[in-house]
Amino acid sequence: MGKGKILVTGGTGYIGSHTVVELFNAGYEPIIIDNLSNSSISVLDGIKAITKVPVTYENIDCKDYNSLERFFEKHQDMKAIAHFAAYKSVGESVSKPISYYRNNIVSLLNLLQLMPNFGIKNIVFSSSCTVYGQPDELPVTEQSPIKPATSPYGSTKQMCETILNDAAIANPEMNSIILRYFNPIGAHSSAEIGELPNGIPNNLLPYITQTAAGIREKLRVFGDDYNTPDGSCIRDYINVVDLAKAHVVAIDRLIEEKNKKNIEVFNLGTGNGSSVLEILNGFESATGVKVPYEIVERRAGDIEKVWADTTFANQELGWKAEIPLEESLLSAWNWQKKLQ
Ligand code: UD1
């Protein structure tokens, strides 16, 4: 007897697809909806190569209330929703704010409006450490102040958190967990699924792997004059499989009603910061592949340093990031090689 159906919106995306696999491994029946706006249908083959059984999938845009409603009518007995479907590029959000607000906000509103009609109480929401801006104190705890967002993307994450909070106050039946991700990297150890950036990558790891593969000429390191030991920015890079497993624990917690409040927030990171140059050197030593690079100007809007205090997630969820950084870097490279 399985543990029940879980709706995974954005389930063919990077974090969504890894979570689908971990939900399956944990005995759940994940059901994917995705409009493939930033992912490929071939991800379903990758998932199946790991799980050995086909996963249920429907092409649905979460902005489309009527399609969502029809979908809920068909799948009456879902236990929880893991809501990943959203746009995620900081730079693009500056040039396309309306589509970011519409996509990220309307999708959540549609789900929240439909959930009570179909007796679904539980939702896990993908937020980001971006809500903390440049924190005054490190590491950041869940109580660290929320800073004014520096991009429409960041604004959508903050607004969605506010919406979930207000919904939780208005409806005590509702159970939400907000997960604030630090920087997800790496790929499944099978190299059957991984990150599939559209066009020129913005994020560090895909840019490194594409440069290592000769697709990009060189990595541009954005600034070496920050107030950090080697001058480059510091982030908390967390393996995507560790991140995916945290979603399973969060969903267990909601379904088993172990949550202490009807809305909870957890930081998902490793608790360790790494600089851009450390990641670059780590990649070279983990893979034996040289990555040409140059130091260039700072990137507008970048935060100098941020890493997570993971005490709350460790203690309350009983979850901890386990995969070493070298393994994450190697898995990212193995995935890149498979894409050639
Ligand atoms: C940011 C947000 C994160 C969001 C993500 C979505 C913060 C702190 N983080 O991540 O919440 O989910 O965008 O995309 O706001 N770098 C280079 N060269 C490159 C690419 C990146 O040097 O070609 C450096 C950046 O300057 C940064 C680090 O690598 O220091 C990581 O950058 P990136 O992978 O883009 O993620 P964030 O900007 O940290």
Side-chain angles (χ1 to χ4, degrees), residues 88-91 127-131 133-134 150 153 157 181-185 201-208 218-223 226 232-235 237 274-276 294 296 298-299 301-306:
K88 63 171 183 182
S89 164
V90 175
S127 189
S128 164
C129 69
T130 197
V131 301
Q134 176 60 66
T150 52
Y153 160 78
K157 291 295 170 193
Y181 311 151
F182 284 68
N183 289 53
I185 59 164
N202 295 305
N203 294 111
L204 180 61
L205 246 293
Y207 210 102
I208 289 180
K218 57 186 156 192
L219 172 75
R220 289 172 306 144
V221 173
F222 297 132
Y226 285 99
S232 63
C233 293
I234 294 179
R235 298 285 184 274
Y237 294 92
S274 305
S275 73
V276 177
E294 64 176 333
V296 300
R298 292 180 176 196
R299 180 171 71 176
D302 260 341
I303 276 146
E304 183 170 271
K305 48 192 166 194
V306 61

Side-chain angles (χ1 to χ4, degrees), residues 111-248:
L111 290 171
L112 291 177
Q113 193 158 343
L114 284 163
M115 284 168 67
N117 303 348
F118 292 91
I120 304 171
K121 294 189 299 189
N122 305 318
I123 184 164
V124 174
F125 177 72
S126 306
S127 189
S128 164
C129 69
T130 197
V131 301
Y132 299 117
Q134 176 60 66
D136 300 323
E137 282 175 44
L138 288 164
V140 278
T141 72
E142 290 78 359
Q143 280 70 48
S144 295
I146 302 294
K147 294 283 180 69
T150 52
S151 71
Y153 160 78
S155 270
T156 68
K157 291 295 170 193
Q158 295 189 354
M159 287 177 182
C160 286
E161 289 202 7
T162 304
I163 291 166
L164 283 162
N165 270 295
D166 290 343
I169 292 167
N171 181 1
E173 285 290 292
M174 177 87 203
N175 282 326
S176 314
I177 290 184
I178 291 171
L179 299 176
R180 291 183 182 148
Y181 311 151
F182 284 68
N183 289 53
I185 59 164
H188 194 266
S189 57
S190 65
E192 295 289 355
I193 53 173
E195 190 168 6
L196 270 176
N198 210 344
I200 302 173
N202 295 305
N203 294 111
L204 180 61
L205 246 293
Y207 210 102
I208 289 180
T209 59
Q210 290 196 5
T211 308
I215 301 167
R216 312 278 157 215
E217 192 191 331
K218 57 186 156 192
L219 172 75
R220 289 172 306 144
V221 173
F222 297 132
D224 69 348
D225 56 351
Y226 285 99
N227 181 25
T228 60
D230 66 21
S232 63
C233 293
I234 294 179
R235 298 285 184 274
D236 185 337
Y237 294 92
I238 173 169
N239 186 286
V240 67
V241 175
D242 276 334
L243 198 64
K245 287 181 177 166
H247 291 75
V248 177

Side-chain angles (χ1 to χ4, degrees), residues 8 13 31 34 61 78 104 115 128 159 162 211 238 251 279 301:
V8 184
I31 298 177
D34 202 306
D61 184 335
M78 289 185 299
N104 294 6
M115 284 168 67
S128 164
M159 287 177 182
T162 304
T211 308
I238 173 169
I251 285 170
I279 292 292

Side-chain angles (χ1 to χ4, degrees), residues 8 10-22 32 43 47 84 193-194:
V8 184
T12 54
Y14 176 41
I15 307 173
S17 58
H18 289 80
T19 301
V20 165
V21 168
E22 295 310 319
I32 298 177
V43 172
I47 293 172
F84 295 96
I193 53 173

Side-chain angles (χ1 to χ4, degrees), residues 16-48:
S17 58
H18 289 80
T19 301
V20 165
V21 168
E22 295 310 319
L23 283 168
F24 179 85
N25 289 343
Y28 286 108
E29 185 190 337
I31 298 177
I32 298 177
I33 61 175
D34 202 306
N35 67 352
L36 304 178
S37 67
N38 193 23
S39 62
S40 159
I41 193 77
S42 66
V43 172
L44 297 176
D45 297 332
I47 293 172
K48 189 175 164 203

